[in-house]
């Protein structure tokens, strides 16, 4: 009998994590790799959050928590949704999970049946497609390009909808393109969805605070969408807490309760110390972490300026998150340092081997024309990395 399930055999490895592991391995061999592959802030978790965690340990928080999160954490999340997003939820609509990633797993697990179609505007975050497929869903990719700032238009959405469409998943600010949907752009999508009242939306807002001035709108704040949007958020990015593993959702009650049921069989709930610390993160003003956002903005400007100086790199101006997603089709079909570049994967591998810079191929995000470069790295690393890239391709 076959050892591993068809399910796991047909799943791809997370390309972001795989590239980070490869960079780590090469570093272990003594190679001076600059890692711009992983979407992970290079800041320390702010002291006010660390202190809350230390306090929780000293206060002997060590037991299982309620499966969907501590009641006072859910209250803090409700306050945050109201304050930042104009969204009103009750505690039974909130579920705290082990990262936004588990929140997405829960949603797919409780909502998808075999053959349900899930619209994914491309480029999409690397794990959406595999999570959807794991639970029997069919990803329906909607291609966008740099010409529309990698955003899906209302016409494209309309054309992608079929009788089997169950949901649409998207992130704004977007990983990997950094694009932010304006209120007007969301309104245009909402106008289409208003004609299809059975379609649900997963709005992944984990980069909400990493926004360089365009302003953030939650799609659930449109009246037509509140009852059919699952708003996903978490603390990994804006609070530099990737390893603490806390994410959460605000959702229609039936969906939230179903996620609670699934999570009760999967993890029993998220880590208790991290949950206590996140109460503080959600309660304090986002201004407390603005110093990181300001720094990311400076780095965005820096890396854009440097990349635009290299022939063959075509970049949009990302309004949020900490990625650039240059179109690199200029290099396809060329031979660089004896290596034939056929696609974005070849190009990303070429950069790793010849420039010692780790990036991620756009293919993993449903866009084979681009590569993703994370600028959640120091100014010195960014300057050195782009210098090496420039030398390698010239
Ligand atoms: N959504 C997006 C768009 C992301 O970039 C990430 C990256 N980690 C996640 C979800 C998952 O985040 P978490 O660390 O909370 O699991
Ligand atoms: N979300 C981050 C990224 O896109 C972290 C890696 C992951 O969870 O896949 O790089």
């Amino acid at each position: 009998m076959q050892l591993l399930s068809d399910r796991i055999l047909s799943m791809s490895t997370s390309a972001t994590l795989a590239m980070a592991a490869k960079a780590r391995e090469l570093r272990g061999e003594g190679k001076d790799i600059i890692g711009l592959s992983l979407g992970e802030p290079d800041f320390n978790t702010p002291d006010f959050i660390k202190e809350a965690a230390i306090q929780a340990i000293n206060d002997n928080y060590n037991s299982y928590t309620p499966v969907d999160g501590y009641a006072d954490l859910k209250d803090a999340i409700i306050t945050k949704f109201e304050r930042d997003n104009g969204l009103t939820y009750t505690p039974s609509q909130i579920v705290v999970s082990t990262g936004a990633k588990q929140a997405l797993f829960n949603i797919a697990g409780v909502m998808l049946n075999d053959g349900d179609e899930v619209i994914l505007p491309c480029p999409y975050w690397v794990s959406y497609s595999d999570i959807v497929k794991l639970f029997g869903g069919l990803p329906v990719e909607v291609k966008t390009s740099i010409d529309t700032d990698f955003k899906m238009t209302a016409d494209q959405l309309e054309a992608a909808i079929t009788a089997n469409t169950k949901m649409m998943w998207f992130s704004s600010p977007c990983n990997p393109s950094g694009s932010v949907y304006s209120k007007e752009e969301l309104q245009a999508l909402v106008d289409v969805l208003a004609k299809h009242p059975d379609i649900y939306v997963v709005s992944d807002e984990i980069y909400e605070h990493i926004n360089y001035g365009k302003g953030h709108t939650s799609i659930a704040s449109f009246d037509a969408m509140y009852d059919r949007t699952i708003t996903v958020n978490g603390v990994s990015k804006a609070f530099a807490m990737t390893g603490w593993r806390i994410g959460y959702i605000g959702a229609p009650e039936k969906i939230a309760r179903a996620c609670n049921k699934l999570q009760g069989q999967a993890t029993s709930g998220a880590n208790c110390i991290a949950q206590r610390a996140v109460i503080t993160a959600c309660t304090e003003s986002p201004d407390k972490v603005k110093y990181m956002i300001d720094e990311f903005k400076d780095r965005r400007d820096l890396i854009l300026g440097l990349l635009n100086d290299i022939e063959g790199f075509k970049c949009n101006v990302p309004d949020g998150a900490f990625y650039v997603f240059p179109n690199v089709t200029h290099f396809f079909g060329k031979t660089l340092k004896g290596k034939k570049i056929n696609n974005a994967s070849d190009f990303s591998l070429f950069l790793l081997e010849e420039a010692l810079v780790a990036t991620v191929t756009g293919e993993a995000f449903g866009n084979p024309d681009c590569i993703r470069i994370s600028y959640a790295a120091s100014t010195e690393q960014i300057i050195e990395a782009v210098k090496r890239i420039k030398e390698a391709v010239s």
Side-chain angles (χ1 to χ4, degrees):
M1 198 186 283
Q2 178 181 301
L3 175 63
L4 298 177
S5 67
D6 292 339
R7 210 175 295 122
I8 195 67
L9 291 174
S10 63
M11 181 189 253
S12 14
T13 301
S14 163
T16 48
L17 299 182
M19 193 49 134
K22 174 119 187 129
R24 229 176 272 133
E25 184 190 308
L26 291 174
R27 249 182 240 122
E29 290 168 11
K31 294 206 168 116
D32 172 27
I33 304 288
I34 302 180
L36 303 183
S37 59
L38 199 59
E40 168 153 76
D42 57 326
F43 292 97
N44 290 323
T45 303
D47 285 345
F48 72 97
I49 298 174
K50 289 199 281 196
E51 280 153 19
I54 292 163
Q55 187 64 44
I57 294 173
N58 288 330
D59 288 345
N60 294 311
Y61 278 94
N62 44 34
S63 310
Y64 287 125
T65 77
V67 170
D68 54 357
Y70 284 119
D72 48 353
L73 172 55
K74 294 207 284 176
D75 286 344
I77 291 168
I78 288 169
T79 306
K80 174 259 167 298
F81 272 132
E82 189 87 56
R83 179 193 67 202
D84 300 338
N85 313 106
L87 296 175
T88 305
Y89 291 115
T90 59
S92 55
Q93 293 179 278
I94 306 292
V95 181
V96 179
S97 298
T98 304
K101 204 178 235 176
Q102 195 210 351
L104 293 164
F105 255 74
N106 285 347
I107 295 162
V110 307
M111 292 189 70
L112 293 178
N113 280 318
D114 287 351
D116 286 346
E117 292 177 6
V118 178
I119 295 176
L120 302 179
C122 299
Y124 50 76
W125 180 47
V126 68
S127 295
Y128 290 173
S129 172
D130 276 291
I131 294 175
V132 165
K133 284 192 272 189
L134 182 68
F135 290 99
L138 295 177
V140 174
E141 299 189 351
V142 175
K143 305 281 175 202
T144 70
S145 73
I146 194 165
D147 303 326
T148 55
D149 190 26
F150 297 108
K151 285 181 258 188
M152 178 173 65
T153 63
D155 287 345
Q156 286 182 304
L157 173 60
E158 182 91 68
I161 291 173
T162 73
N164 295 324
T165 305
K166 177 77 186 267
M167 311 171 83
M168 168 187 128
W169 287 26
F170 78 116
S171 62
S172 176
C174 173
N175 178 1
S177 68
S179 308
V180 174
Y181 282 82
S182 68
K183 193 167 185 180
E184 294 68 32
E185 286 161 344
L186 288 177
Q187 178 70 63
L189 300 181
V190 170
D191 289 344
V192 174
L193 292 167
K195 292 184 257 168
H196 303 274
D198 295 332
I199 298 178
Y200 280 72
V201 170
V202 169
S203 179
D204 182 345
E205 303 182 14
I206 195 156
Y207 294 96
E208 169 189 14
H209 295 304
I210 307 176
N211 182 310
Y212 307 127
K214 252 205 158 172
H216 180 81
T217 305
S218 295
I219 195 165
S221 68
F222 292 86
D223 287 343
M225 298 310 301
Y226 177 80
D227 285 334
R228 51 191 173 116
T229 300
I230 301 102
T231 306
V232 178
N233 212 322
V235 292
S236 284
K237 311 295 172 173
F239 297 94
M241 294 177 73
T242 47
W244 296 62
R245 311 304 304 123
I246 299 288
Y248 54 86
I249 58 166
E253 187 170 342
K254 260 196 185 158
I255 296 171
R257 292 306 87 210
C259 289
N260 182 49
K261 181 175 166 188
L262 179 60
Q263 188 161 290
Q265 295 285 23
T267 65
S268 308
N271 174 286
C272 63
I273 304 303
Q275 285 194 49
R276 300 311 300 169
V278 172
I279 295 176
T280 308
C282 286
T283 309
E284 292 288 340
S285 160
D287 285 349
K288 279 214 151 175
V289 291
K290 192 163 173 297
Y291 66 95
M292 290 191 260
I293 317 304
D294 291 344
E295 179 66 35
F296 285 136
K297 184 168 187 286
D298 289 348
R299 294 176 190 178
R300 176 201 66 170
D301 295 342
L302 172 72
I303 197 164
L304 275 183
L306 295 171
L307 287 176
N308 281 330
D309 215 30
I310 305 178
E311 196 198 346
F313 277 70
K314 206 169 132 199
C315 304
N316 66 321
V317 178
D319 289 308
F322 35 60
Y323 310 102
V324 276
F325 198 60
N327 177 304
V328 291
T329 49
H330 170 86
F331 299 102
F332 297 177
K334 295 199 163 64
T335 301
L336 301 172
K337 295 195 184 252
K339 289 182 175 134
K340 185 89 197 277
I341 310 292
N342 290 312
N343 50 44
S345 298
D346 289 348
F347 190 65
S348 178
L349 193 63
F350 167 80
L351 293 182
L352 182 66
E353 289 171 348
E354 296 298 332
L356 304 183
V357 176
T359 59
V360 187
T361 172
E363 264 155 63
F365 305 90
N367 184 320
D369 294 338
C370 302
I371 59 166
R372 190 190 77 172
I373 304 177
S374 163
Y375 53 86
S378 71
T379 302
E380 294 72 36
Q381 283 177 313
I382 291 170
I383 294 171
E384 174 62 21
V386 182
K387 185 171 142 239
R388 290 187 195 175
I389 293 174
K390 191 170 183 176
E391 279 166 10
V393 301
S394 60

